Amino acid sequence: MTSVYTFSPGDAPVLITLPHAGQSLPDGLSERMTETGRVLPDTDWYMEALYDFALGLGVGVLRANYSRYVVDLNRGADDAALYPGRPSTGLVPHLTFSGQPIYKDGQEPDHQEVVERTNLFWTPYHQKIEHELARLKDKWGWAILWDGHSIASTIPRLFEGILPDLNFGTNTGAACAPALAQALVAQARVFPHYTHVLDGRFKGGYTTRHYGKPEENIHAVQLELAQTTYLESEDSPWPLSSEKAGQLRYVLKQLLRCAVAYRP
């Protein structure tokens, strides 16, 4: 069995988490999935490549290895809706973002399977986050969780119009200190060829909302990248643009440097 996650530790007070970068499936699951589901269209493609500079900054990286279709690590174990009134993508989703079935008729996971997947994949991943944030806070007196994501720039079922390039989420300011959020936004303004927004359509998922406790000196920020910023095409097989990715990687590096430099 593939390990639940891959972890590269760092000594800086920042932890990068990549919950939707994985593409592995448990044995036998792909046979239960539709043709659309099997290509995993809602993967956060190439995230580990975009953040490959992190260890050079001393920043640790926790990458999930299994697909979000197995269990979505950025949803609460109780499957509570993150954005009431919007379509919920779910702890164990049955539909793609565009609304296509992930499973063949009658092959959807039942409640017991959801519980088993949560115990097997969700729990150890979040235990690792808790342990690492505690370690960093013990070392520095504070810790910052950077939750890295990407998504297609247009998904009419989930949001209107075209998504900005850089979408910072802080749970409307509840997950991190205002000074940190404003430092990141100021850095984003240095690159005017990328559009950006703070707490727009994506305000942060479970990870940001659960772990971000600025009153306890643990800060959390989600960065949702529009995939047009680094892909040649947002259609299968989602080819990477080396030129776009190189430019974006530089921007991400400057943003992470802001996070590393932050002092409460």
Side-chain angles (χ1 to χ4, degrees):
M1 173 179 164
T2 303
S3 59
V4 171
Y5 56 76
T6 300
F7 178 57
S8 301
D11 290 322
V14 180
L15 170 67
I16 295 173
T17 49
L18 304 175
H20 298 152
Q23 300 173 50
S24 294
L25 298 171
D27 290 344
L29 186 59
S30 63
E31 288 79 5
R32 297 166 52 190
M33 298 169 73
T34 62
E35 183 177 352
T36 297
R38 282 195 294 271
V39 298
L40 311 177
D42 302 319
T43 301
D44 292 6
W45 304 105
Y46 309 108
M47 298 304 288
E48 61 277 8
L50 293 176
Y51 285 98
D52 65 1
F53 60 83
L55 290 180
L57 298 180
V59 174
V61 180
L62 178 65
R63 178 196 186 272
N65 291 329
Y66 282 86
S67 169
R68 70 186 305 157
Y69 290 170
V70 179
V71 64
D72 191 330
L73 302 173
N74 201 30
R75 300 294 179 271
D78 60 357
D79 203 13
L82 293 175
Y83 300 99
R86 299 274 189 167
S88 177
T89 54
L91 176 65
V92 175
H94 289 193
L95 300 176
T96 67
F97 287 174
S98 61
Q100 301 302 307
I102 293 171
Y103 295 94
K104 298 174 183 176
D105 288 344
Q107 296 295 313
E108 300 87 352
D110 60 16
H111 173 73
Q112 183 57 38
E113 185 174 354
V114 171
V115 171
E116 291 171 356
R117 291 190 195 184
T118 303
N119 291 337
L120 189 59
F121 301 101
W122 191 97
T123 297
Y125 174 83
H126 283 282
Q127 286 176 337
K128 186 64 178 178
I129 292 177
E130 291 176 1
H131 179 271
E132 187 61 12
L133 289 177
R135 183 184 74 84
L136 293 177
K137 184 182 176 183
D138 184 62
K139 177 180 175 66
W140 292 93
W142 71 92
I144 299 170
L145 189 156
W146 183 282
D147 206 35
H149 296 263
S150 75
I151 193 170
S153 60
T154 55
I155 305 178
R157 178 171 171 263
L158 298 186
F159 53 85
E160 298 78 26
I162 301 174
L163 203 65
D165 297 326
L166 309 174
N167 300 267
F168 298 97
T170 67
N171 194 20
T172 318
C176 85
L180 174 57
Q182 292 307 314
L184 294 171
V185 169
Q187 183 63 57
R189 291 196 191 103
V190 174
F191 306 101
H193 51 295
Y194 291 101
T195 57
H196 68 273
V197 66
L198 175 63
D199 290 312
R201 170 61 181 87
F202 294 97
K203 304 179 189 300
Y206 171 82
T207 305
T208 305
R209 302 178 193 208
H210 178 73
Y211 294 104
K213 300 174 183 176
E215 68 280 2
E216 299 178 18
N217 267 332
I218 297 180
H219 309 271
V221 176
Q222 176 175 299
L223 178 57
E224 188 90 50
L225 303 169
Q227 291 178 344
T228 47
T229 58
Y230 68 94
L231 295 182
E232 292 283 5
S233 167
E234 292 186 318
D235 297 320
S236 178
W238 302 280
L240 179 69
S241 166
S242 297
E243 181 179 359
K244 286 183 178 180
Q247 294 171 351
L248 180 61
R249 191 180 291 111
Y250 177 78
V251 174
L252 294 175
K253 189 172 185 178
Q254 305 319 306
L255 291 171
L256 261 296
R257 280 179 167 158
C258 277
V260 171
Y262 172 76
R263 297 293 182 271

